[in-house]
Amino acid sequence: MQQSQSSSQPSRTSRRDFLQKSAALAGAATVTLPLARSAHAAGSDVIKIGLIGCGGRGCGAAVNAMNAGKDIRLVAMADLFEAKVNAGRSRLQRSKGDQVAVDDDHLFFGFDGYEKVLASDIDVVLIAATSHFHPRMLEAAVKADKHIFCEKPHSLDSPGIKRVVAACEEAKQKKRCVVSGLMNRYNLCVRETVNRIHDGAIGKINTIQETYCVGPYHVHERKPEWTELEWQFYNWYHFNWLAGDQCLQQLIHSIDKGAYVMQDEPPVKAWGMGGRAACFGDKYGDMFDHQTVVFDYADGSRTYGLCRNQIGVRNELSDFVYGTKGTADLLRGRIEGETTWEYDGLRNSPYDQEHIELFNAIRSGNLINDVKHMAGSTLLALLAQAVCHTGQEITWQQIVDSQQSVELPRYAWDVEPPVKPNAAGAYDIAIPGITKFS
C-alpha cells in the first residue's frame, strides 16, 4: 500500500452508497426472479459446466458441482499450466467417472485458457483460479452469458470490487446466477443460528470474535527451470499480488460470518496488527504469518478477527457472538444465556450446498445473486489487510475509495512480476508504521 491516508470519517451508509453507486444493488444478496430463457442447452437434460483453475480448490469445486446432480457434466477445463489441467482431469475422472466428459481438445492452458472455456458449449462456469484474476474472469463469464460460481476472494483491490459489482448487476439483467465461494452462507447450521440471533435470542450484539488459525498453505519447492514468474504462479498463495494474503484467503471466511451476523452493515473503521514471526525464507513469499484486526461499528459493537498460519502452534476455527442476553457459537449451533438452544438439524457440507442451491435455481428457473456479501466481505478482508500492513486506523470509506490496484498492463510468460527477491534472495514484506495506505 502506498501514500498516506486521509482522516475523513464515513457515514453509516457508506457501504450502501458504494454498492448503489456501483450498480444499484440495494436489497437482499439472494433474490428469486424468473429466468427468461432456458436454464441450459435447449433440448438437453444435461447441464454442462466448465472449470477455470485446476488446483485443489478448483477440482474440489468441480466435485461439489457434480455432487449436485447426475445431470451435470464437466466438459471443459483450463489452467495456466498444462500439467495441472491434465492432472486435474485424471483426478476428477477417478472421482466422478462418466460425469467428467472433457475431450482432449477442451483442455486449455495459458493466460487465455479461461476465454476458451467460456467460448465452449457450457451453461455454467466454475471460477477457482489464482485470485488475482477473479474480477476479469467474472466479467468475461457474464459477457459470455454463463451462470457462475466464483471462489473467494472476489478481488484483491477496491477497483476490482467495483468491476465485480457491475458484472453481477449485468448478470441480474441477463437473468444468470452468480454464487460466491463464501460457503458459510450455505451452512444450514450457521444459517439457523444467525436467524435466531437476528430474532433477538442473545439480545443486542456487543462483540464478535472470529478466529481462523491453521497451518500455512502448501509450499512448492522452486525448480531451476522455472522463471521467477512461473515460480510465483506455482506458489501463488504466498504472494500478496496474487492471493491477497491470509486476510483474503482464510480470515475472509470468518469475517464473512461476522458480517452475516451484522446483517452486512459495514464497520465505521478498523485497526490491526500483524507480521511474520515464524515462517521465514523465500518460499513464503511476501506474506505475513499472523494478523489481528478490530472492526468498530457505529453502534459501539466490535468484531475481532484473529488469523495465524504457523507450524507447531495451537490452531482454532471458531465464531463467538456475545450479546446482552447470551452467547452464540455459530459453527456448533449453540446459544446460551436467557435462551438455551442447540441446532439439531442436518449437518450439511456447505461446499456441496452452495452448488445444490445454484443448480436447483438453474433447473427451476430462479435467480441467485450473491453480490451483496461478495462485495462487502471482500472489502472487509481488504480493510483487514490494509490495517495490518500499515499499522494505521483506516475508515470504511477509505477502503471503498482506495485506488490501489494489483492489475498488470498485460499478462504473458515474458512479463516481469511486480515483486522480486531482494539482494538477500528473500521478498520484502510490509512494515507496520512504515508501509503506507493508498
Side-chain angles (χ1 to χ4, degrees), residues 282-300:
D282 69 329
K283 64 183 180 181
Y284 291 111
D286 61 353
M287 302 285 244
F288 282 5
D289 63 11
H290 63 281
Q291 296 103 334
T292 300
V293 59
V294 182
F295 297 108
D296 286 322
Y297 288 82
D299 64 0

Side-chain angles (χ1 to χ4, degrees), residues 101-424:
V102 187
D103 297 329
D104 289 347
D105 61 358
H106 280 74
L107 294 173
F108 307 114
F109 61 95
F111 288 100
D112 62 349
Y114 76 97
E115 296 172 339
K116 296 174 181 177
V117 167
L118 294 173
S120 301
D121 181 21
I122 61 171
D123 308 298
V124 184
V125 63
L126 315 178
I127 301 172
T130 301
S131 302
H132 178 96
F133 297 114
H134 284 177
R136 67 169 45 216
M137 290 177 175
L138 195 150
E139 281 180 328
V142 171
K143 294 194 180 306
D145 205 21
K146 311 302 181 185
H147 298 286
I148 300 164
F149 168 80
C150 186
E151 255 303 341
K152 57 77 207 163
H154 301 296
S155 178
L156 303 185
D157 53 45
S158 292
I161 282 295
K162 293 178 174 67
R163 295 167 62 188
V164 166
V165 169
C168 288
E169 178 61 16
E170 184 180 345
K172 280 186 182 181
Q173 295 168 0
K174 289 184 170 183
K175 297 182 171 51
R176 288 297 178 253
C177 294
V178 181
V179 167
S180 166
L182 290 167
M183 80 292 177
N184 286 293
R185 303 280 179 141
Y186 293 86
N187 182 318
L188 301 182
C189 173
V190 170
R191 276 181 178 174
E192 180 61 24
T193 308
V194 171
N195 284 341
R196 288 175 180 266
I197 293 171
H198 290 168
D199 287 342
I202 65 170
K204 179 187 178 297
I205 296 165
N206 290 327
T207 305
I208 302 174
Q209 179 179 307
E210 295 291 353
T211 305
Y212 202 122
C213 294
V214 297
Y217 278 111
H218 174 74
V219 171
H220 291 274
E221 296 299 326
R222 189 189 292 261
K223 294 184 178 179
E225 65 268 24
W226 286 348
T227 66
E228 179 63 27
L229 189 63
E230 287 176 309
W231 151 248
Q232 291 192 22
F233 271 112
Y234 267 110
N235 222 34
W236 68 268
Y237 277 119
H238 298 280
F239 287 92
N240 282 294
W241 75 280
L242 295 174
D245 92 357
Q246 305 304 10
C247 290
L248 283 132
Q249 289 299 324
Q250 295 180 330
L251 187 61
I252 188 173
H253 282 302
S254 299
I255 57 181
D256 175 60
K257 282 175 277 186
Y260 191 12
V261 171
M262 296 298 291
Q263 301 188 63
D264 292 305
E265 191 68 24
V268 173
K269 59 187 178 182
W271 65 278
M273 60 190 75
R276 182 181 289 188
C279 296
F280 297 108
D282 69 329
K283 64 183 180 181
Y284 291 111
D286 61 353
M287 302 285 244
F288 282 5
D289 63 11
H290 63 281
Q291 296 103 334
T292 300
V293 59
V294 182
F295 297 108
D296 286 322
Y297 288 82
D299 64 0
S301 60
R302 276 185 161 181
T303 293
Y304 296 86
L306 313 174
C307 186
R308 183 172 64 191
N309 303 96
Q310 299 170 353
I311 298 169
V313 297
R314 180 186 183 278
N315 291 331
E316 180 177 331
L317 286 171
S318 64
D319 318 88
F320 294 101
V321 185
Y322 302 92
T324 55
K325 297 181 180 179
T327 302
D329 181 333
L330 298 187
L331 287 180
R332 289 185 173 87
R334 294 177 185 171
I335 292 176
E336 297 178 347
E338 288 188 14
T339 298
T340 300
W341 170 83
E342 185 164 355
Y343 178 76
D344 61 359
L346 175 67
R347 294 282 180 171
N348 71 318
S349 163
Y351 293 98
D352 280 345
Q353 188 69 25
E354 58 191 354
H355 289 277
I356 289 169
E357 295 189 25
L358 168 62
F359 287 96
N360 282 347
I362 292 170
R363 295 185 192 99
S364 65
N366 293 324
L367 173 65
I368 297 176
N369 193 305
D370 283 341
V371 63
K372 188 174 182 179
H373 67 265
M374 289 172 70
S377 293
T378 301
L379 282 167
L380 281 175
L382 286 167
L383 180 56
Q385 180 191 41
V387 298
C388 291
H389 280 189
T390 65
Q392 304 301 311
E393 180 178 276
I394 298 174
T395 68
W396 177 259
Q397 193 62 52
Q398 284 176 283
I399 202 68
V400 168
D401 294 340
S402 171
Q403 296 304 305
Q404 170 89 7
S405 175
V406 298
E407 192 82 358
L408 301 184
R410 70 182 185 93
Y411 296 91
W413 289 120
D414 63 348
V415 169
E416 291 294 321
V419 175
K420 295 182 181 180
N422 57 29

Side-chain angles (χ1 to χ4, degrees), residues 86 88-98 100-102:
N86 292 327
R89 180 176 65 171
S90 297
R91 184 192 318 175
L92 291 169
Q93 285 173 332
R94 291 193 297 270
S95 176
K96 300 304 292 183
D98 292 343
V100 180
V102 187

